Every structure is written in structure tokens, then in C-alpha cells.
Amino acid sequence: MSQAMPQISVVVPVHDEEGAAGDLAREIAGALQGRAFEMIFVDDASRDGTRAELAAARAALPQLRVLAHGANAGQSRAVRTGVLAARGEIILTLDGDGQNPPGDGPALIDLLLASPPEVALVGGRRAKRQDSQAKLWASRWANRIRKRLLGDDADDTGCGLKAFRREAYLRLPYFDHMHRYLPALMIREGYRNLYLDVSHRPRGVGRSKYTNWSRLKASVSDLLGVIWLKSRARRPGQVVEL
């Protein structure tokens, strides 16, 4: 199956996830067994043994590809690196910390494949988040404010588990932290989004790369930027070739 052109490319950004990355790759392979898929783990300049762990895992996982950043560039750039390298028409993303169970991925993929072309994204919605009360509170208010200002339809845009069409993603403007605004950006391009409840589990090893304060500092400028992008969007209507 690794020799055939994959239909699905699973893109996983990782940074300092030694002890979790290899297990996550094996779990993804089990969840997508029987499908034409590849896994692209993008190591965002880890300082631990993440890269070596993934390299060792390739011996038993022919679908696994490992890309490595020379400098830390953030989650959105890692996702973009993976999507640019992907060969599948459908992209499935998961957070590298293992909190998104890969077993939920096929349901998102199948819904996207069964949907008309104007549906470009199926987002996960964490039904029972296994995070601290402080993180849950901050996320709840951030989602409310973002939805109010951008008019998007996502209740949980921070969920890393998403399935989307590669072609649609490549039409979106790139900026750092754009992964949090994919639903709004898809709508800006004239696409539709769908959502499914997914599971969530506690982090097994390592620690979060984000804090509520760091998210707040980035989100203010990002939100203003996406509002500006929406205000400058002009749609051409139906495009026909004469």
C-alpha cells in the first residue's frame, strides 16, 4: 500500500514529543489499516529524541514519512510543510501530543468524502475535553469571541483533529497560527464546513507548548488580521471557461 498513490495524507506536527510520537504513528497506522494512506510527521526542530524515535519507527511503518524543520517555525508552518509535501487529496491533521485519538479520524474522512465538493472541511469537536479548568475556561471564551467577530460556525476551532481537501487548503492565505482559523478561512473562500464530536484524552508524556497568556497575545493580532482578510475578500461568482 505504501507504493500506491495515497488518497489520504495524515499530517502531524511534532515538537519535543519523545515518548509519544512513535506510539502515535503506530496508532494512526492501525486506525487507517486497509486504506490508501501516508503519514507525514513534521518535526519542528525538536530538542529531544523525537526525530530519532520517528526515524526508528519507519522500519515497521512503510507509510511513515518524516520531514524535519531546520528551525522552530510553529504549528501552522509545520502543518503547511506537511500539506505541501502530501500526495493525498484528503488531509487529516492531528496534534502531536496524542490527545486526539486517531480512531476518530476515519469518521471525519468518510463524511468529507461523502459530501459535495463545496464542503472542504470536517472539523472535530472535542466532546469531553481532558484539560485543566483554566484551559477549558479560556478556550470557551475564545471560541465565543471568535465566532461573534468572524461569523464562522466552529464551536471548537482549537481541536487539532480535522479532515480537509488539500486543494482547498492551498487556496487559503498563509500566516502564523492560521490553523486556529481554518473554518473562517474556508468560509471566506466560499466553502462549507461540517463538524463531528470526537474524543479527547489526557496528555500522556511531555507538556503543552502553549499557555493561556501566549495564546491571548497571539490571538488578538491574529483575530484582527482575519477580520481584515474577510473585509478584503471579493468572490467572482461562477467561473466559466469560454
Side-chain angles (χ1 to χ4, degrees):
M1 184 172 297
S2 61
Q3 301 301 316
M5 182 63 71
Q7 180 188 38
I8 303 158
S9 294
V10 184
V11 174
V12 186
V14 288
H15 176 67
D16 292 349
E17 297 294 353
E18 181 181 7
D23 288 342
L24 181 59
R26 286 182 281 272
E27 193 175 358
I28 292 170
L32 294 178
Q33 187 174 8
R35 298 176 183 246
F37 76 98
E38 64 179 354
M39 294 179 280
I40 304 174
F41 276 65
V42 182
D43 178 60
D44 190 26
S46 291
R47 300 157 297 184
D48 61 5
T50 299
R51 193 173 301 182
E53 183 176 311
L54 288 169
R58 285 184 302 184
L61 298 171
Q63 306 94 340
L64 176 59
R65 300 167 61 190
V66 182
L67 306 181
H69 284 175
N72 182 263
Q75 184 173 346
S76 283
R77 177 57 75 176
V79 169
R80 185 168 177 81
T81 294
V83 174
L84 289 172
R87 297 181 297 155
E89 61 180 290
I90 302 298
I91 306 294
L92 180 72
T93 61
L94 298 90
D95 287 340
D97 57 15
Q99 288 192 264
N100 301 136
D104 288 329
L108 275 66
I109 293 168
D110 290 342
L111 179 56
L112 184 59
L113 289 172
S115 298
E118 61 265 26
V119 175
L121 178 146
V122 177
R125 186 172 48 219
R126 291 168 288 188
K128 296 181 180 179
R129 285 187 61 178
Q130 302 298 308
D131 284 321
S132 67
Q133 287 299 314
K135 185 177 286 189
L136 291 173
W137 181 88
S139 180
R140 188 177 302 117
W141 277 102
N143 277 304
R144 288 176 180 174
I145 293 169
R146 190 208 68 257
K147 286 183 70 174
R148 187 73 171 268
L149 294 178
L150 298 183
D152 69 30
D153 52 4
D155 293 323
D156 184 16
T157 191
C159 181
L161 189 57
K162 296 180 176 73
F164 52 82
R165 302 187 194 276
R166 181 177 184 269
E167 180 184 9
Y169 173 91
L170 294 177
R171 292 174 180 267
L172 306 181
Y174 171 78
F175 56 91
D176 194 21
H177 294 223
M178 71 172 285
H179 65 278
R180 298 196 183 104
Y181 297 91
L182 285 183
L185 294 171
M186 289 293 188
I187 292 172
R188 177 182 181 270
E189 281 299 312
Y191 294 111
R192 291 172 49 215
N193 308 311
L194 297 175
Y195 302 94
L196 284 178
D197 284 346
V198 297
S199 307
H200 192 243
R201 57 195 180 191
R203 172 184 274 273
V205 298
R207 59 185 179 85
S208 175
K209 313 304 183 296
Y210 300 104
T211 65
N212 286 342
W213 177 241
S214 67
R215 279 193 175 97
L216 177 62
K217 288 194 296 182
S219 64
V220 173
S221 60
D222 292 342
L223 192 56
L224 293 174
V226 177
I227 291 172
W228 180 85
L229 283 171
K230 285 194 63 180
S231 73
R232 304 303 296 167
R234 298 178 68 182
R235 295 181 187 170
Q238 184 180 12
V239 178
V240 297
E241 182 173 356
L242 304 179

